[in-house]
Amino acid sequence: MTIPTNEYAPFYAPYIEKVPTGNLLEVYQASATENRDFYATVSPEKQNYAYAPGKWTIAEVLQHVIDMERIFAARLLRVGRGDQTPLPGVDQNDYAEAASFELRPYDGLVEEYFLLKQSNLAMAKGFPSNAWARMGNASGNDVSARALFAMLVGHEQHHLRIIRERYFSTSKGA
């Protein structure tokens, strides 16, 4: 599915462009299962590995993906329901610092990730067709429900590419 460029701010383009073509609901569902399987195969040694000082560990990246999934999904719900209240931006670093991810077992993060994906998919499947084109405002920019849903896929694809390239130096393995 192609998202018209007038439905999102230019700084979201790198996320939107990473979304594979096809039915967006099917792409989301397939990526949720595939990515859960990837996260579940990360070895205990790699879960708390950071490729450079000051960079997030894989567990921190997964927590970040979960946090942003919740934020994008809340925006999606509000915009999809026609809420015109401007939605504030967030600072990802503040969320990461406050997450205390290290207090949670990694497999709990993987489970939360997949349950969240399933919940968001159920929400999206319940949207009437006219909801996808509804526009709202998030972080001071106009955005459609369709673009927000695509960002759920594209944002994660962005981080998975970084994990594969910088944490594993390969396109496949965990």
Side-chain angles (χ1 to χ4, degrees):
M1 166 185 282
T2 301
I3 312 294
T5 57
N6 66 337
E7 291 187 13
Y8 57 90
F11 62 85
Y12 287 121
Y15 297 151
I16 303 276
E17 292 166 358
K18 287 180 177 44
V19 178
T21 57
N23 177 293
L24 197 50
L25 291 169
E26 292 171 4
V27 166
Y28 182 88
Q29 185 169 19
S31 72
T33 301
E34 178 182 325
N35 297 340
R36 180 220 31 214
D37 293 347
F38 172 80
Y39 293 128
T41 65
V42 174
S43 69
E45 298 79 32
K46 284 286 192 178
Q47 293 166 7
N48 293 308
Y49 168 76
Y51 67 89
K55 296 299 183 182
W56 290 342
T57 66
I58 292 175
E60 288 173 305
V61 171
L62 179 54
Q63 181 67 66
H64 166 73
V65 166
I66 291 168
D67 287 349
M68 295 310 297
E69 177 91 9
R70 288 188 191 286
I71 290 165
F72 284 138
R75 291 174 177 178
L76 170 63
L77 174 64
R78 292 181 70 171
V79 171
R81 296 286 194 256
D83 186 344
Q84 292 298 300
T85 306
L87 305 172
V90 298
D91 184 324
Q92 67 182 13
N93 293 316
D94 289 345
Y95 275 74
E97 188 176 312
S100 299
F101 79 95
E102 70 280 356
L103 301 176
R104 301 185 58 203
Y106 182 82
D107 60 345
L109 287 173
V110 175
E111 178 184 23
E112 179 183 357
Y113 163 85
F114 193 64
L115 291 171
L116 179 58
K117 289 287 192 176
Q118 295 308 303
S119 175
N120 290 340
L121 181 62
M123 174 183 64
K125 285 181 174 180
F127 277 7
S129 60
N130 65 337
W132 294 106
R134 289 183 181 141
M135 298 294 291
N137 187 286
S139 301
N141 295 282
D142 292 337
V143 64
S144 71
R146 177 179 24 244
L148 285 164
F149 193 63
M151 285 178 216
L152 292 174
V153 176
H155 174 258
E156 184 173 18
Q157 292 304 319
H158 163 77
H159 285 289
L160 284 167
R161 180 188 57 77
I162 291 171
I163 288 172
R164 288 184 171 117
E165 289 176 3
R166 298 183 186 167
Y167 292 75
F168 294 107
S169 298
T170 179
S171 62
K172 295 285 181 194

